[in-house]
Amino acid sequence: MSHITLTIDDARTFLQEQPESLQKQVKAIHKMIHERTGKGNDYLGWLDLPKAYDKEEYARLIQAAKKIRKDSQVLVVIGIGGSYLGAKAGLEFLNVPFKKNKLEIVFAGHQMSGSYLNELLNYLSNKRFSINVISKSGTTTEPAIAFRVLKNLLEQKVGKEEAKGRIYATTDKARGALYTVAKNEGYEMFIIPDDVGGRYSVLTPVGLLPLEAAGIKTKEILKGAKDAYNRYKKADLLENESYLYAVTRYLLYRSGKKIEMLVGYEPNLLFLNEWWKQLYGESEGKDHKGIFVASANFSTDLHSLGQYIQEGERHLFETVVKVENTASDVIIPKENNDLDELNYLSGKTLSYVNSQALKGTMMAHKDGGVPNLLLSIPAMDAYTFGYLVYFFEKACAMSAYLIDVNPFNQPGVEAYKKNMFALLGKKGYEHILK
Ligand code: PA5
C-alpha cells in the first residue's frame, strides 16, 4: 500500500486517451531514468539519495544542529531557489501555528529587498544567532550579498573567531566563491553532491540541516523518502502513483489544459506549493513547452480566484492535496438562540466542514470544465513530507521526459542575470548594453 493515494477519476472524462495506454512509453522513460541515459543524466543523484546519502556527513549534521540550538536563539538560513524553498516548505508543513519554537529560523538572500535585510539586521542586533549559508554554485548574487552583510554583523557582535564557529556553509565540494570563502575562513562545510541540482536537493544538507536545527526529526523525513523510493521504483502505472500523476498531467496538457494549480486546504501547505512550483516550473518550462504551474490555498482563495476557476478560460486543471488527519481540531458549539444559523453544524468538527468544502468544490470545478486530481496524504508529519518530496521529484522527471525536455537544467534563468550584471557594471558584461 502506498502512503499517499492519487485519484484521477475526475480527470478521466476530460481525456481522449487514458494514462494506461502510455504504459509502454512510461516503461521506456523509466529505464532511461534508472540507467541514466536521458537528457541531463549527470543530475540524477537525487534518485538514490534516500538510501545512498552520506551517513557520516549526516551524523556530523546532527551534531551541528545541536550546536546551533545551544549557541543561538535564531538561525539565519541564507539561500534562494532550490537552496531555500525545500527547507521553507518543510518548516511550514510541520509548523504548529502560533507555537513559539526554541530556535527561530529566519531566511535571507531569497530576494534583494534592502528594507527586509535592514530590518533583519535590526532584529538580530540583540539576539544570539548562527548562519547557514547555502549555495551550490557559490556565486548566486542574492545569497552572496546577504551573507556578506550578515557575516559582518555576526563578526562585529561576537568577534571573528567565535563567528567562525557559528557559520555553516552548504555548497559544492570543491568549487565556487562560497567554497573558497568557507575554506579560507575555516567554516564547517556540508556538501551538495555534484549530481544533485538545487531544486532536487531537499534531502541533502540543503534541506536537512535547517530542518534538523529547527528540531524536526529528519530521520523520519529520510524514512518517508526511502519508502517512497521503494514504492516508486517500478514502472507499472497501477502501482506507481508518481508516474500516474505525471502521465495524467501530461495527457491533460496535451488536451489543452496548459495550467496546473496545486491546491491545498491547510495553510501549512502554502510553501509546499512554492517548492512544487519551482520544481515543475524550472524543470519543464523550456523549448517553448511545459505546463504553467500555479497554486491556491482554499477555502481562502475560493473567495478570490474561485470565480475564475469556476467560469474563466478553460485551460486549467487542479491537483488537490487533501490532508486526511489534522493534528488538532475544533468542534463547532451549539447556541440556544441560533441567531447565526449555524446549529446545523453544531457537534461537527471544522475538519469535517473543510473536507465537505473540498468535495463540493471538486464537484463544482469538474462541472465547470476543470479536471481534478486528488492527492490524499494521511497527515502533515515528517515522514509524509519526505514521502511527498520524493513522489513529486520522481513524477517531475517522468513528466519532463514525456514532453521531451531536460528536467535538470535551467538555461532561461541566465537571461535576466546577464542584463542585471551589465546594468550593475560587473566586469565582463559591458558588451550587453552596447
Ligand atoms: O534549482 C536550481 O538549480 C536553482 O533554483 C538554484 O537552486 C538557485 O538558482 C540557487 O542556486 P545556488 O544554490 O547555486 O545559489
Side-chain angles (χ1 to χ4, degrees), residues 80-83 134-138 140 143 197-199 278 282 410:
I80 196 166
S83 291
I134 309 171
S135 176
K136 176 158 182 182
S137 62
T140 309
R199 57 192 175 275
Q278 189 213 352
E282 245 183 358
Q410 55 283 330

Side-chain angles (χ1 to χ4, degrees), residues 178-350:
L178 178 58
Y179 168 81
T180 310
V181 174
K183 218 48 212 162
N184 219 37
E185 299 284 346
Y187 302 147
E188 177 155 14
M189 282 172 76
F190 292 93
I191 304 306
I192 311 170
D194 279 344
D195 55 359
V196 180
R199 57 192 175 275
Y200 291 83
S201 68
V202 197
L203 303 173
T204 72
V206 171
L208 298 179
L209 180 57
L211 289 166
E212 183 69 32
I216 289 159
K217 291 196 171 53
T218 55
K219 256 245 124 80
E220 281 297 299
I221 295 182
L222 289 167
K223 194 161 173 269
K226 191 169 174 200
D227 286 353
Y229 165 88
N230 285 322
R231 173 76 193 176
Y232 306 134
K233 69 180 176 199
K234 293 206 183 105
D236 188 348
L237 284 171
L238 293 176
E239 281 186 30
N240 189 329
E241 296 86 357
S242 83
Y243 285 172
L244 183 63
Y245 168 60
V247 176
T248 310
R249 65 195 292 284
Y250 166 67
L251 290 173
L252 286 166
Y253 172 65
R254 266 196 359 198
S255 72
K257 303 294 184 189
K258 306 279 186 195
I259 298 171
E260 176 180 13
M261 297 188 70
L262 191 70
V263 171
Y265 281 73
E266 292 289 337
N268 291 57
L269 300 177
L270 272 168
F271 270 86
L272 181 78
N273 291 348
E274 297 306 308
W275 169 80
W276 171 87
K277 282 192 281 194
Q278 189 213 352
L279 181 63
Y280 282 79
E282 245 183 358
S283 298
E284 292 192 316
K286 46 199 77 152
D287 305 341
H288 296 174
K289 292 190 270 193
I291 295 171
F292 183 82
V293 278
S295 64
N297 173 41
F298 288 171
S299 64
T300 312
D301 293 334
L302 287 173
H303 298 259
S304 58
L305 287 175
Q307 172 59 37
Y308 188 102
I309 298 168
Q310 191 65 47
E311 294 183 342
E313 195 162 338
R314 303 297 73 192
H315 51 9
L316 296 168
F317 68 97
E318 289 170 300
T319 297
V320 179
V321 178
K322 182 180 184 205
V323 181
E324 295 295 345
N325 301 291
T326 53
S328 63
D329 212 339
V330 168
I331 297 175
I332 299 165
K334 188 173 173 164
E335 276 190 8
N336 287 338
N337 56 22
D338 196 24
L339 290 178
D340 56 8
E341 299 172 13
L342 280 177
N343 272 355
Y344 77 105
L345 293 176
S346 69
K348 304 239 171 16
T349 63
L350 205 53

Side-chain angles (χ1 to χ4, degrees), residues 415-434:
Y416 95 90
K417 287 186 192 167
K418 284 183 194 148
N419 295 343
M420 179 182 76
F421 290 146
L423 291 164
L424 289 169
K426 189 172 178 175
K427 221 168 135 209
Y429 291 85
E430 302 83 356
H431 61 284
I432 288 171
L433 295 180
K434 280 184 190 135

Side-chain angles (χ1 to χ4, degrees), residues 2-8 232 241-242 244-245 260 262-265 269 272 276 280 318-324 358 362 372-378 384 387-389 391-392 395:
S2 172
H3 188 68
I4 57 181
T5 55
L6 176 72
T7 314
I8 62 162
Y232 306 134
E241 296 86 357
S242 83
L244 183 63
Y245 168 60
E260 176 180 13
L262 191 70
V263 171
Y265 281 73
L269 300 177
L272 181 78
W276 171 87
Y280 282 79
E318 289 170 300
T319 297
V320 179
V321 178
K322 182 180 184 205
V323 181
E324 295 295 345
L358 181 153
M362 282 186 66
N372 278 269
L373 315 185
L374 179 66
L375 195 63
S376 296
I377 62 172
T384 305
Y387 202 104
L388 211 46
V389 162
F391 168 90
F392 278 130

